[in-house]
Amino acid sequence: MAPPARWLRREVFVGLALGQFVSLFITSTGFASSELARRGVNAPTSQSLLNYILLALVYGGTLLYKRQHMTIKWYYYLILGVVDVEANYIVVKAYQYTSLTSVMLLDCWSIPCVIVLTWIFLKTKYGLRKFIGVGVCVAGLILVVFSDVHASDRAKGPNPLKGDLLVIGGSMLYAISNVTEEYFVKKSNRVEVMAMLGVFGAIISGIQISILEQKELRSTHWTAGAILPFIGFALAMFLFYSTVPIILKICGATMLNLSLLTSDMWAVLIRIFAYHEKVDWMYFVAFAGTATGLVIYSYRGSKQISEETAQDTQAMDEEAATANSTAQVPGVGDDGPASNKDFSVAATASR
């Protein structure tokens, strides 16, 4: 059977659409954080705690209800939780020392980090077309940065070097977290990964809050104007974390990070229509450029589709042959060699 047309591949459209959904969720968290900062609330770890609790309750409850056994050792999830919590904390902390422009530009460092990590550990292959797509996406974001500089964002911050180093470090942690989560999702399942990330993320956040943010929480006046953005941030982060594993399984960590570049453009559109603010014309060029880069990166030619189809067919034939040979050996049950199926699929599923 002939492979489907290049632009009719369902995962291409699903990946692009979900990527923009998570980008909007990130934009929502940004507006919620800005509102909390305006009201004097400076507790980044506390903001993330409620999100981790929601993940633990929803997905942990589902895991217990289905009585599923864990397929990945708990200490790997502990490491993922530490990396994820600290990545969120470090990047938010960087805003205190450097400018918004620097954070936006240096946050792109996560993209080459993800490409290198997926190439080394997940054996993902990148062709010239994908690198062109990455370049176009980053160029679009650089236009946004230039637009900010051209407009009013000229503040350097109290300690630019420290802030820039924090952003670079946080971007590297984000890359490690995304690639690790992609591997876990493909080896295990989304419910288990989200449940364990929620449990360990909540524990680590609670410990960190008790050490770093006790005074801040006690001095905060918890009015309705502070509580609503706090809850809004947690809900947006919960939806973001719930959608990310789907994108990782369909498109991979690189596509996820490229999609998040458009969050700044969505923020501009919200400023235009919700707050009736005027923005520089380069924002619209940047949005179009980033969107074009995403399409270029997602594009798959007929040759690549045929190769992927052949690989999938070969993998299915090998699994079927293994199952038949296992069935012919007396004394071997369903829990024997077939239990290695998840690992083999995870090792060959990444692209």
Side-chain angles (χ1 to χ4, degrees):
M1 182 177 179
R6 296 177 179 179
W7 294 103
L8 296 180
R9 298 272 292 182
R10 184 178 63 178
E11 59 265 30
V12 173
F13 295 102
V14 172
L16 290 172
L18 289 178
Q20 294 315 298
F21 272 118
V22 297
S23 185
L24 282 171
F25 293 147
I26 285 296
T27 304
S28 301
T29 62
F31 275 93
S33 297
S34 299
E35 183 65 20
L36 288 171
R38 189 178 69 85
R39 296 179 178 275
V41 180
N42 183 22
T45 309
S46 301
Q47 291 177 219
S48 301
L49 174 62
L50 183 56
N51 164 54
Y52 290 122
I53 292 176
L54 289 174
L55 289 174
L57 291 177
V58 174
Y59 291 100
T62 304
L63 198 65
L64 292 175
Y65 176 77
K66 293 183 177 181
R67 297 182 179 179
Q68 296 179 357
H69 297 287
M70 290 181 57
T71 57
I72 299 176
K73 299 295 184 181
W74 65 269
Y75 44 82
Y76 291 121
Y77 288 121
L78 174 61
I79 297 173
L80 176 62
V82 172
V83 173
D84 195 74
V85 170
E86 299 310 319
N88 288 326
Y89 178 82
I90 290 174
V91 171
V92 173
K93 196 72 174 177
Y95 284 95
Q96 300 179 13
Y97 302 103
T98 189
S99 65
L100 175 63
T101 300
S102 297
V103 175
M104 290 171 57
L105 182 59
L106 293 174
D107 194 53
C108 295
W109 178 245
S110 63
I111 295 174
C113 292
V114 165
I115 291 176
V116 172
L117 290 173
T118 52
W119 177 64
I120 294 175
F121 296 104
L122 301 184
K123 309 302 179 183
T124 305
K125 296 180 180 179
Y126 294 98
L128 178 61
R129 185 184 293 114
K130 291 190 178 295
F131 284 111
I132 293 175
V134 171
V136 173
C137 285
V138 174
L141 185 63
I142 291 175
L143 278 178
V144 175
V145 175
F146 284 157
S147 178
D148 282 338
V149 174
H150 180 260
S152 59
D153 189 19
R154 302 180 185 273
K156 296 294 184 180
N159 194 338
L161 179 59
K162 182 177 181 180
D164 292 347
L165 291 176
L166 285 175
V167 177
I168 293 174
S171 299
M172 295 176 67
L173 290 179
Y174 274 136
I176 295 172
S177 176
N178 292 156
V179 175
T180 304
E181 192 174 333
E182 177 182 350
Y183 175 74
F184 285 173
V185 167
K186 290 178 178 178
K187 182 180 178 181
S188 179
N189 60 80
R190 184 172 70 100
V191 174
E192 178 182 319
V193 174
M194 289 295 97
M196 294 299 102
L197 179 59
V199 169
F200 289 109
I203 294 173
I204 297 166
S205 297
I207 296 173
Q208 187 160 305
I209 290 170
S210 65
I211 298 173
L212 301 176
E213 299 181 3
Q214 274 192 13
K215 294 181 179 179
E216 184 67 32
L217 293 176
R218 290 174 181 174
S219 61
T220 301
H221 298 286
W222 292 102
T223 62
I227 294 176
L228 289 178
F230 199 90
I231 297 176
F233 177 90
L235 292 177
M237 284 295 286
F238 172 76
L239 294 174
F240 170 78
Y241 273 71
S242 299
T243 311
V244 161
I246 303 175
I247 301 177
L248 292 175
K249 196 164 188 175
I250 296 176
C251 307
T254 304
M255 182 64 180
L256 169 65
N257 283 268
L258 291 175
S259 297
L260 294 181
L261 292 180
T262 60
S263 60
D264 300 301
M265 289 71 163
W266 289 120
V268 171
L269 294 179
I270 293 176
R271 283 162 51 190
I272 293 174
F273 293 104
Y275 299 101
H276 305 288
E277 296 182 7
K278 293 183 179 181
V279 297
D280 197 271
W281 61 270
M282 281 193 287
Y283 273 112
F284 301 100
V285 178
F287 190 91
T290 304
T292 302
L294 289 173
V295 173
I296 293 174
Y297 182 88
S298 303
Y299 178 84
R300 292 172 183 167
S302 298
K303 182 178 179 180
Q304 181 181 358
I305 294 173
S306 300
E307 291 176 353
E308 291 174 356
T309 304
Q311 291 176 358
D312 293 341
T313 303
Q314 182 180 0
M316 292 174 63
D317 292 341
E318 291 176 355
E319 291 174 6
T322 302
N324 290 334
S325 61
T326 302
Q328 295 174 0
V329 178
V332 177
D334 293 337
D335 294 331
S339 62
N340 294 324
K341 178 181 177 181
D342 289 340
F343 181 81
S344 62
V345 173
T348 59
S350 61
R351 296 168 181 169

